[in-house]
Amino acid sequence: MSPTEHRALLRPTAILDYTHPRIEALIQSRGWRRLPTRERIAAIYDFVRNDIAFGYNLADDLPASRVLDDGLGQCNTKGSLLMALLRARALLLPQPRKKHWTPLTKS
């Protein structure tokens, strides 16, 4: 895959709206940019796991910014928020071709 093709796969989408101002504001307020990569990933993961309550959203295909606003999510929507936050930090994770269940456990 060429760099151009790779970048095309990582553009914001309707669900992974990682350029949304509220997502950017969260990243700024948490100071995640200043962390080393491994700690940054752990901090983002912990935020989604611990600070976004488990609950059912209106739909599975909500934008990540809406999940953040709702303050709750389940496997699919928390996974979308996690992926958006990681992409916003240039930890460019490719978007899967189909949805996968994402376990976010306390253990």
Side-chain angles (χ1 to χ4, degrees), residues 36-96:
T37 301
R38 187 176 182 92
E39 292 169 22
R40 184 182 314 156
I41 293 168
I44 292 170
Y45 177 88
D46 287 345
F47 170 80
V48 174
R49 181 186 63 185
N50 298 329
D51 293 16
I52 302 297
F54 181 85
Y56 292 94
N57 303 89
L58 183 63
D60 282 349
D61 59 353
L62 295 176
S65 59
R66 171 69 187 272
V67 177
L68 180 61
D69 286 346
D70 288 351
L72 62 87
Q74 39 76 17
C75 302
N76 293 335
T77 54
K78 279 190 168 200
S80 297
L81 178 58
L82 177 65
M83 187 179 281
L85 290 169
L86 293 174
R87 282 194 186 188
R89 289 309 333 122
L91 299 170
L92 302 173
L93 302 176
Q95 183 173 356

